[in-house]
Amino acid sequence: MLHGAIGSSVQLEPLAEFLTDTYKVYLLNFSGHGGKQIPKEKFSIEMFADDVLYFIDRNKLKGINIYGYSMGGYVALYIARHFPEKINKIFTTATKFDWTEETSLKESHLLNPENISEKLPKFAEQLIERHSPENWKIVLSKTAEMMIDLGKSQSLNDEDFSTIENEVLLSVGDRDNMVSIEETVDVYRNLKNGNLLIFPDTPHPIEKISPVRLANEIKLFFK
């Protein structure tokens, strides 16, 4: 199970609890997230994919399915594009695909630590706890930089999606203010073995998505 940008594996634990009766579930944190040491290098999809590949090899995992929330789904699809033999099926939720210079700039502006501290103090406290003992402000700064880079050069394009052979289910909430149904449908149509699921009355944050319903959909798809 792969978490989203500026997130950590802790956010996926409520969902994981509803999956452990059926699967052996593995949670991991990307570099610089969840208290892991922040690397000197830029954050990138490639870096996070390397984290997953290392985890797979270290634990000698074969034929695994991946659930990826938000950026975690993008990382999973990147692995499917370049290392398809490492994984089986992929289920994504709320993964953003429309990375242009305009959208990247918009999303990166939302990660200003000073604004968050001033206007969203409770969220700032969550980020402090989530990434402790590392500096949450650096995590946000590096994530914003990664978004700008994605806007200039996406790690995955339409041609990449069309070459993915793995079976994939893309899901998105109809009230997601970061990821549109349209961009999700566009990628779904490019996939050779794509499936699409739209959750009604569902916003972007994983904490606001019903873990029971999501777990049931994951079980149906991975069976």
Side-chain angles (χ1 to χ4, degrees):
M1 301 183 73
L2 306 181
H3 65 79
I6 73 168
S8 76
S9 60
V10 171
Q11 294 173 283
L12 296 176
E13 288 178 358
L15 174 60
E17 290 180 6
F18 290 100
L19 296 171
T20 53
D21 62 338
T22 305
Y23 305 104
K24 174 66 176 177
V25 178
Y26 295 87
L27 297 169
L28 64 93
N29 286 307
F30 294 126
S31 295
H33 293 72
K36 287 183 70 173
Q37 184 176 3
I38 298 174
K40 294 181 180 179
E41 299 84 1
K42 285 184 174 183
F43 281 177
S44 67
I45 298 301
E46 293 78 6
M47 172 187 285
F48 299 146
D50 284 342
D51 289 337
V52 179
L53 293 169
Y54 174 77
F55 186 91
I56 290 172
D57 290 343
R58 186 185 66 187
N59 290 282
K60 300 179 181 179
L61 303 178
K62 303 290 184 181
I64 63 168
N65 299 315
I66 294 184
Y67 171 79
Y69 166 70
S70 196
M71 182 189 70
Y74 201 97
V75 172
L77 291 168
Y78 180 89
I79 294 172
R81 168 64 181 89
H82 297 283
F83 307 93
E85 73 284 355
K86 292 287 187 178
I87 58 178
N88 186 21
K89 294 182 179 182
I90 296 171
F91 189 124
T92 77
T93 301
T95 295
K96 186 161 189 63
F97 300 109
D98 181 25
W99 291 108
T100 64
E101 291 194 35
E102 181 181 357
T103 58
S104 296
L105 192 61
K106 176 184 175 183
E107 296 300 332
S108 66
H109 282 166
L110 298 176
L111 299 183
N112 185 300
E114 306 311 321
N115 288 345
I116 291 175
S117 295
E118 179 183 349
K119 299 177 181 179
L120 301 168
K122 289 186 178 179
F123 183 44
E125 290 176 5
Q126 291 175 6
L127 291 170
I128 291 171
E129 181 179 359
R130 183 181 299 168
H131 299 297
S132 179
E134 296 296 305
N135 189 329
W136 69 280
K137 294 183 179 181
I138 297 177
V139 175
L140 266 63
S141 176
K142 281 182 167 287
T143 302
E145 183 181 27
M146 179 183 70
M147 289 178 173
I148 296 297
D149 288 341
L150 278 171
K152 295 176 181 177
S153 178
Q154 295 191 60
S155 297
L156 294 169
N157 56 38
D158 288 347
E159 183 178 351
D160 290 314
F161 292 125
S162 68
T163 64
I164 292 175
E165 300 283 350
N166 305 68
E167 191 171 358
V168 177
L169 191 156
L170 306 180
S171 67
V172 64
D174 64 349
R175 296 183 182 275
D176 195 316
N177 60 2
M178 179 180 178
V179 181
S180 69
I181 293 175
E182 290 74 20
E183 68 189 274
T184 307
V185 169
D186 286 344
V187 173
Y188 152 71
R189 287 174 174 165
N190 272 300
L191 293 167
K192 292 183 178 180
N193 296 295
N195 300 268
L196 179 67
L197 175 63
I198 298 175
F199 288 108
D201 195 28
T202 301
H204 185 80
I206 187 68
E207 293 84 358
K208 295 187 177 181
I209 302 174
S210 167
V212 175
R213 179 170 186 184
L214 187 49
N216 287 338
E217 295 291 352
I218 290 172
K219 290 177 181 180
L220 284 172
F221 181 63
F222 285 162
K223 68 179 180 180

PDB file of all heavy atoms in Angstrom, residues 3-16:
ATOM      1  N   HIS A   3       1.279   5.416   0.060  1.00  0.00           N
ATOM      2  CA  HIS A   3       0.624   6.647   0.488  1.00  0.00           C
ATOM      3  C   HIS A   3       0.823   7.776  -0.524  1.00  0.00           C
ATOM      4  O   HIS A   3       1.549   7.639  -1.515  1.00  0.00           O
ATOM      5  CB  HIS A   3       1.139   7.065   1.864  1.00  0.00           C
ATOM      6  CG  HIS A   3       2.598   7.439   1.883  1.00  0.00           C
ATOM      7  ND1 HIS A   3       3.067   8.654   1.452  1.00  0.00           N
ATOM      8  CD2 HIS A   3       3.697   6.745   2.300  1.00  0.00           C
ATOM      9  CE1 HIS A   3       4.378   8.709   1.601  1.00  0.00           C
ATOM     10  NE2 HIS A   3       4.793   7.563   2.106  1.00  0.00           N
ATOM     11  N   GLY A   4       0.192   8.915  -0.249  1.00  0.00           N
ATOM     12  CA  GLY A   4       0.248  10.054  -1.154  1.00  0.00           C
ATOM     13  C   GLY A   4       1.327  11.055  -0.796  1.00  0.00           C
ATOM     14  O   GLY A   4       2.069  10.878   0.180  1.00  0.00           O
ATOM     15  N   ALA A   5       1.417  12.124  -1.585  1.00  0.00           N
ATOM     16  CA  ALA A   5       2.380  13.190  -1.351  1.00  0.00           C
ATOM     17  C   ALA A   5       2.128  13.844   0.005  1.00  0.00           C
ATOM     18  O   ALA A   5       0.976  14.004   0.413  1.00  0.00           O
ATOM     19  CB  ALA A   5       2.290  14.234  -2.454  1.00  0.00           C
ATOM     20  N   ILE A   6       3.183  14.188   0.692  1.00  0.00           N
ATOM     21  CA  ILE A   6       3.235  14.756   2.048  1.00  0.00           C
ATOM     22  C   ILE A   6       2.501  13.882   3.067  1.00  0.00           C
ATOM     23  O   ILE A   6       2.191  14.319   4.159  1.00  0.00           O
ATOM     24  CB  ILE A   6       2.739  16.220   2.128  1.00  0.00           C
ATOM     25  CG1 ILE A   6       1.221  16.330   1.975  1.00  0.00           C
ATOM     26  CG2 ILE A   6       3.442  17.102   1.101  1.00  0.00           C
ATOM     27  CD1 ILE A   6       0.662  17.715   2.330  1.00  0.00           C
ATOM     28  N   GLY A   7       2.241  12.627   2.690  1.00  0.00           N
ATOM     29  CA  GLY A   7       1.542  11.706   3.573  1.00  0.00           C
ATOM     30  C   GLY A   7       2.486  10.700   4.193  1.00  0.00           C
ATOM     31  O   GLY A   7       3.711  10.824   4.131  1.00  0.00           O
ATOM     32  N   SER A   8       1.900   9.673   4.802  1.00  0.00           N
ATOM     33  CA  SER A   8       2.688   8.583   5.370  1.00  0.00           C
ATOM     34  C   SER A   8       1.826   7.326   5.416  1.00  0.00           C
ATOM     35  O   SER A   8       0.607   7.377   5.225  1.00  0.00           O
ATOM     36  CB  SER A   8       3.193   8.926   6.768  1.00  0.00           C
ATOM     37  OG  SER A   8       2.151   8.814   7.725  1.00  0.00           O
ATOM     38  N   SER A   9       2.471   6.211   5.724  1.00  0.00           N
ATOM     39  CA  SER A   9       1.764   4.935   5.754  1.00  0.00           C
ATOM     40  C   SER A   9       0.704   4.885   6.857  1.00  0.00           C
ATOM     41  O   SER A   9      -0.261   4.119   6.759  1.00  0.00           O
ATOM     42  CB  SER A   9       2.764   3.800   5.959  1.00  0.00           C
ATOM     43  OG  SER A   9       3.461   3.955   7.182  1.00  0.00           O
ATOM     44  N   VAL A  10       0.860   5.711   7.888  1.00  0.00           N
ATOM     45  CA  VAL A  10      -0.104   5.732   8.997  1.00  0.00           C
ATOM     46  C   VAL A  10      -1.518   6.027   8.482  1.00  0.00           C
ATOM     47  O   VAL A  10      -2.506   5.495   8.998  1.00  0.00           O
ATOM     48  CB  VAL A  10       0.312   6.775  10.060  1.00  0.00           C
ATOM     49  CG1 VAL A  10      -0.791   6.974  11.094  1.00  0.00           C
ATOM     50  CG2 VAL A  10       1.596   6.335  10.750  1.00  0.00           C
ATOM     51  N   GLN A  11      -1.609   6.869   7.461  1.00  0.00           N
ATOM     52  CA  GLN A  11      -2.925   7.238   6.931  1.00  0.00           C
ATOM     53  C   GLN A  11      -3.656   6.061   6.299  1.00  0.00           C
ATOM     54  O   GLN A  11      -4.872   6.081   6.151  1.00  0.00           O
ATOM     55  CB  GLN A  11      -2.764   8.348   5.889  1.00  0.00           C
ATOM     56  CG  GLN A  11      -2.267   9.663   6.460  1.00  0.00           C
ATOM     57  CD  GLN A  11      -1.981  10.651   5.354  1.00  0.00           C
ATOM     58  OE1 GLN A  11      -0.958  10.566   4.671  1.00  0.00           O
ATOM     59  NE2 GLN A  11      -2.895  11.584   5.162  1.00  0.00           N
ATOM     60  N   LEU A  12      -2.900   5.041   5.906  1.00  0.00           N
ATOM     61  CA  LEU A  12      -3.501   3.886   5.250  1.00  0.00           C
ATOM     62  C   LEU A  12      -3.813   2.749   6.224  1.00  0.00           C
ATOM     63  O   LEU A  12      -4.399   1.740   5.828  1.00  0.00           O
ATOM     64  CB  LEU A  12      -2.568   3.371   4.145  1.00  0.00           C
ATOM     65  CG  LEU A  12      -2.315   4.341   2.986  1.00  0.00           C
ATOM     66  CD1 LEU A  12      -1.294   3.758   2.018  1.00  0.00           C
ATOM     67  CD2 LEU A  12      -3.614   4.664   2.249  1.00  0.00           C
ATOM     68  N   GLU A  13      -3.441   2.912   7.485  1.00  0.00           N
ATOM     69  CA  GLU A  13      -3.666   1.847   8.453  1.00  0.00           C
ATOM     70  C   GLU A  13      -5.147   1.509   8.652  1.00  0.00           C
ATOM     71  O   GLU A  13      -5.493   0.324   8.753  1.00  0.00           O
ATOM     72  CB  GLU A  13      -3.009   2.209   9.786  1.00  0.00           C
ATOM     73  CG  GLU A  13      -1.491   2.124   9.729  1.00  0.00           C
ATOM     74  CD  GLU A  13      -0.829   2.521  11.036  1.00  0.00           C
ATOM     75  OE1 GLU A  13      -1.562   2.907  11.981  1.00  0.00           O
ATOM     76  OE2 GLU A  13       0.416   2.447  11.114  1.00  0.00           O
ATOM     77  N   PRO A  14      -6.065   2.514   8.709  1.00  0.00           N
ATOM     78  CA  PRO A  14      -7.489   2.157   8.856  1.00  0.00           C
ATOM     79  C   PRO A  14      -7.989   1.292   7.705  1.00  0.00           C
ATOM     80  O   PRO A  14      -8.793   0.370   7.919  1.00  0.00           O
ATOM     81  CB  PRO A  14      -8.189   3.520   8.885  1.00  0.00           C
ATOM     82  CG  PRO A  14      -7.154   4.460   9.404  1.00  0.00           C
ATOM     83  CD  PRO A  14      -5.871   3.980   8.799  1.00  0.00           C
ATOM     84  N   LEU A  15      -7.535   1.582   6.487  1.00  0.00           N
ATOM     85  CA  LEU A  15      -7.923   0.770   5.335  1.00  0.00           C
ATOM     86  C   LEU A  15      -7.284  -0.610   5.416  1.00  0.00           C
ATOM     87  O   LEU A  15      -7.937  -1.629   5.142  1.00  0.00           O
ATOM     88  CB  LEU A  15      -7.502   1.479   4.042  1.00  0.00           C
ATOM     89  CG  LEU A  15      -7.701   0.714   2.732  1.00  0.00           C
ATOM     90  CD1 LEU A  15      -9.171   0.356   2.525  1.00  0.00           C
ATOM     91  CD2 LEU A  15      -7.195   1.552   1.552  1.00  0.00           C
ATOM     92  N   ALA A  16      -6.025  -0.652   5.807  1.00  0.00           N
ATOM     93  CA  ALA A  16      -5.306  -1.926   5.892  1.00  0.00           C
ATOM     94  C   ALA A  16      -5.985  -2.895   6.853  1.00  0.00           C
ATOM     95  O   ALA A  16      -5.986  -4.115   6.628  1.00  0.00           O
ATOM     96  CB  ALA A  16      -3.865  -1.680   6.323  1.00  0.00           C
TER      97      ALA A  16
END
